[in-house]
Structures are given as C-alpha cells and as structure tokens.
Amino acid sequence: MTSAHETTTSVDPGFDTALPALQIGAYTLRNRLIMGTGGITDLAALEKALAVSGTSLTTVAMRRFNPELKTSVFTMLERLGIDVLPNTAGCFTVKDTVLTAELAREALETNLIKVEVIADEHTLLPDVIETLAATEQLADRGFTPLVYTSDDPAAALRMEQAGAAAVMPLGAPIGTGLGILNPHNIELIATRAQVPVILDAGIGAASEAALAMELGCEAVLVASAVTRAQRPAAMAHAVRRAVEAGWHSRSAGRIPRRQHAQASSTFEGVIDPVEELT
Amino acid sequence: MPTVRINDQSIDLPPGATVAHAVEHTTGRELTPEGRPADGGRLGVAVALEGSVVPRSLWAAADLEENAQLEIVTAVQGG
C-alpha cells in the first residue's frame, strides 16, 4: 500500500539514495547515526527507539557490576545486532580514562573507545588538555579513539594529530538540547579534518542533526534528544531521516547566499500593467 | 579464607581463591578455564586487580591475596 503523499511512479534519481558507509580507523560504520542509551528508564522503549533509528553503533558506559540489575543493555544491543561503543564518561583524568578504556576493551572485546574526559560535573564540558593526553596514550595502545572535544577548531586539529580516529566536537553542552551553538566552528572543523567529524552532544531536535550534516559532519551522535523525547521512537525516526536529508543536502551543493533577491520567474513576457481605474 | 574488596564491598572467598572465583561470585555465572561463561553467550565483564586490568585468560591463574582490591565492571546505559 502506498501512502497518500507518495507517487506511484518510480524514477531513477541518478544517485544512490542510501548513504555510503563511513570508515573510522579500521572500523566501518554502516550507518551515519550513532545513538546513546542514557536518559531513559523504560528499556522496552529504548529498544524500540534504537531499532527505529537504524543505528549500527551505540554508546554504553562502563560501571561496577550490579547483580541486582536483571536486564543488560549489552545483551539488548547484541540482540539488535548493534555494535557497542564504550565511552569513558565520568572520567576526569588521563589515568582513569585509560583504565576505563582498557576495562571496556577487555569486557566488550572492541578497540573502539569514545574518549570523554570532562572538566566538571556542572558543565560536563571536555577538558581538552586531559583529553589530548588520553587520546595520545589510547592511540599508542592500539585503540580506535573517537574523541569528544570542544567546538574549538584548534583543539579539534590537535586531537587528530594526537591519534583520534574521529573527532567529535560538541554542538552544545551534553543534555542541553541547545543545538549547534557555533555552526561556523563546526563547519571549520569539518572542512580541515582529515578524519571523520561526528557531531556529539547538544542536539535537541531532528533539524539540528540535518544542520550538522549540512555543515560537513560525517555522522551524528544523539542520545538525550531521543531518549528524553516525549515519544522516543518517533524522534528516532525523525533524526534518522534528518541525518539522511542533511547528508544529501550537503552533497547536492547548496546555492550561495545572496544579499538581494533573484527572481525565479522571468520578467520577460509579463503582461502590461492594467491602468488604474479612475 | 581471604577477605577481598570487590567493588568496595568486603567479600569472604574460599582459600586458594582466584580472580575467576571472584567473577563467578559477583556475576553468579560459572566460568570456563578461559574465562568465558560456561552457559555460552558473552559475559561482558572486565576486572581490574589493584588498578590493573587482568585479561580473562589469566583469571583462573590470578590468586587473590588478603585485602586484594578488585573492580568488576560491565556495560551500562550511557552516552
């Protein structure tokens, strides 16, 4: 059955409507939307949102084993066929970050690590000095570091030089839903980077995920925007489509911005103005 | 009988206990000598002993001394 808004004729668009996979170090990311799993207590709703999002890579945190927790997010991701991206959330120092990454590699059998070293609990902003040192050490130890950093283009470049397999600048502080506060910086980071740039943190609605892709990001990480939405699965669907739309919008080549209007209807052949009745 | 600290809790383990015993005690799952769950599937757990990661292949050989400090971690929701 065809929905009311879809046409029944199919035309070859002349390009691939499916997005290409993304190479991050030795890892192939099959889908451009990375999801987070925090911020939701209803695990059935989380599972549905993850499935609807189409994600192939999803973050988890590493914490002390709690025998009272009967359900495991790890088991859920395995069931959904989603790869796991452990993060180092909660780490403030290089030492804690490296140990957490080593534990994650051992527990989850992956070299992928989302490096997250925060400065304080109030802003959750990345401590770029510690992050840089941690990235260097983790790259040396054979990890594939995806590095959460500030939206500072100079800092982003340093992360890449330190061994980041992907740079993940924040759009806005974690959980704020403020969107992309400095689009110019994000575009500059994406333009200069030799490794994939993945927008991380700050997205509150689907349009902001589309903007990230239009600015040149190769992928987007979304957590709270979906998990704390009133209808998580519906937002997951919207963000998935937005990432696709933003990627195509970028590759389609947008028109330049102009100071003045440019008519899209020709003035040639326009009828004579009717004389005013007196 | 060594008393060890697992995730900041004091636990009494039988004499000759190893890291593998501590993991079995904490997770409630029996392990193979290679540190994999005997019931199949994946364990998704890692261990740090005195601040250093012990690879699962060495769990059965890693003896625990009195007051040994262990961290046993797994993946939880986050990010």
Side-chain angles (χ1 to χ4, degrees), chain A residues 37 59-78 84-89 99-110 113, chain B residues 6-7 23 26-27 29 37 42-48 53 56 59 70-78:
Chain A
T37 52
T59 65
V60 293
M62 300 305 295
R63 292 292 180 268
R64 285 173 167 167
F65 188 92
N66 179 358
E68 283 160 29
L69 279 181
K70 296 287 176 235
T71 48
S72 149
V73 67
F74 179 58
T75 312
M76 178 201 290
L77 295 176
E78 268 202 317
V84 56
L85 173 59
N87 67 26
T88 64
L99 178 58
T100 302
E102 292 284 7
L103 286 166
R105 173 153 71 181
E106 181 62 27
L108 308 177
E109 297 169 66
T110 175
I113 189 77
Chain B
I6 301 177
N7 294 347
V23 175
T26 303
T27 62
R29 288 169 80 177
R42 291 169 75 184
L43 193 61
V45 160
V47 181
V53 178
R56 69 181 67 235
W59 287 352
L70 288 140
E71 293 282 349
I72 300 182
V73 303
T74 190
V76 299
Q77 286 177 258

Side-chain angles (χ1 to χ4, degrees), chain A residues 152-188:
Chain A
D152 173 358
L157 215 49
R158 290 295 300 271
M159 298 307 165
E160 183 181 332
Q161 290 159 355
V167 175
M168 306 182 78
L170 57 82
I174 294 170
T176 59
L178 290 172
I180 299 175
L181 295 178
N182 196 332
H184 174 72
N185 272 13
I186 297 297
E187 187 162 37
L188 195 53

Side-chain angles (χ1 to χ4, degrees), chain A residues 177-242:
Chain A
L178 290 172
I180 299 175
L181 295 178
N182 196 332
H184 174 72
N185 272 13
I186 297 297
E187 187 162 37
L188 195 53
I189 290 169
T191 307
R192 301 202 302 172
Q194 303 289 312
V195 296
V197 173
I198 301 169
L199 191 91
D200 186 1
I203 285 178
S207 55
E208 292 148 6
L211 175 61
M213 299 302 282
E214 287 181 327
L215 293 171
C217 294
E218 293 285 0
V220 169
L221 190 150
V222 172
S224 304
V226 166
T227 60
R228 295 190 207 273
Q230 290 188 20
R231 295 169 56 216
M235 187 59 85
H237 172 76
V239 174
R240 174 187 193 166
R241 296 297 181 224

Side-chain angles (χ1 to χ4, degrees), chain B residues 45-72:
Chain B
V45 160
V47 181
L49 174 59
E50 313 300 346
S52 296
V53 178
V54 183
R56 69 181 67 235
S57 56
L58 301 180
W59 287 352
D63 292 326
L64 292 176
E65 292 178 7
E66 182 73 20
N67 293 323
Q69 300 272 344
L70 288 140
E71 293 282 349
I72 300 182

Side-chain angles (χ1 to χ4, degrees), chain A residues 35 40 44-55 226-227 232-234 236-237:
Chain A
M35 292 287 293
I40 188 167
L46 173 63
E47 183 160 355
K48 192 182 283 183
L50 290 175
V52 169
S53 78
T55 187
V226 166
T227 60
H237 172 76

Side-chain angles (χ1 to χ4, degrees), chain A residues 3-198:
Chain A
S3 308
H5 62 275
E6 284 179 47
T7 56
T8 48
T9 52
S10 69
V11 176
D12 177 8
F15 63 92
D16 199 347
T17 53
L19 270 47
L22 178 66
Q23 202 62 34
I24 303 173
Y27 178 77
T28 305
L29 182 66
R30 303 186 300 280
N31 177 287
R32 303 298 183 111
L33 176 57
I34 302 173
M35 292 287 293
T37 52
I40 188 167
T41 49
D42 182 346
L43 285 181
L46 173 63
E47 183 160 355
K48 192 182 283 183
L50 290 175
V52 169
S53 78
T55 187
S56 58
L57 184 66
T58 291
T59 65
V60 293
M62 300 305 295
R63 292 292 180 268
R64 285 173 167 167
F65 188 92
N66 179 358
E68 283 160 29
L69 279 181
K70 296 287 176 235
T71 48
S72 149
V73 67
F74 179 58
T75 312
M76 178 201 290
L77 295 176
E78 268 202 317
R79 187 164 60 234
L80 292 171
I82 298 173
D83 293 341
V84 56
L85 173 59
N87 67 26
T88 64
C91 291
F92 291 86
T93 64
V94 174
K95 201 178 163 202
D96 286 351
T97 306
V98 172
L99 178 58
T100 302
E102 292 284 7
L103 286 166
R105 173 153 71 181
E106 181 62 27
L108 308 177
E109 297 169 66
T110 175
N111 284 327
L112 296 175
I113 189 77
K114 186 188 158 199
V115 184
E116 199 174 325
V117 193
I118 55 167
D120 64 82
E121 286 177 29
H122 301 289
T123 64
L124 299 178
L125 288 171
D127 183 327
V128 293
I129 311 286
E130 295 288 312
T131 303
L132 188 69
T135 300
E136 212 157 31
Q137 287 198 25
L138 291 170
D140 281 350
R141 289 168 183 244
F143 284 91
T144 301
L146 287 76
V147 182
Y148 171 62
T149 184
S150 66
D151 60 1
D152 173 358
L157 215 49
R158 290 295 300 271
M159 298 307 165
E160 183 181 332
Q161 290 159 355
V167 175
M168 306 182 78
L170 57 82
I174 294 170
T176 59
L178 290 172
I180 299 175
L181 295 178
N182 196 332
H184 174 72
N185 272 13
I186 297 297
E187 187 162 37
L188 195 53
I189 290 169
T191 307
R192 301 202 302 172
Q194 303 289 312
V195 296
V197 173
I198 301 169

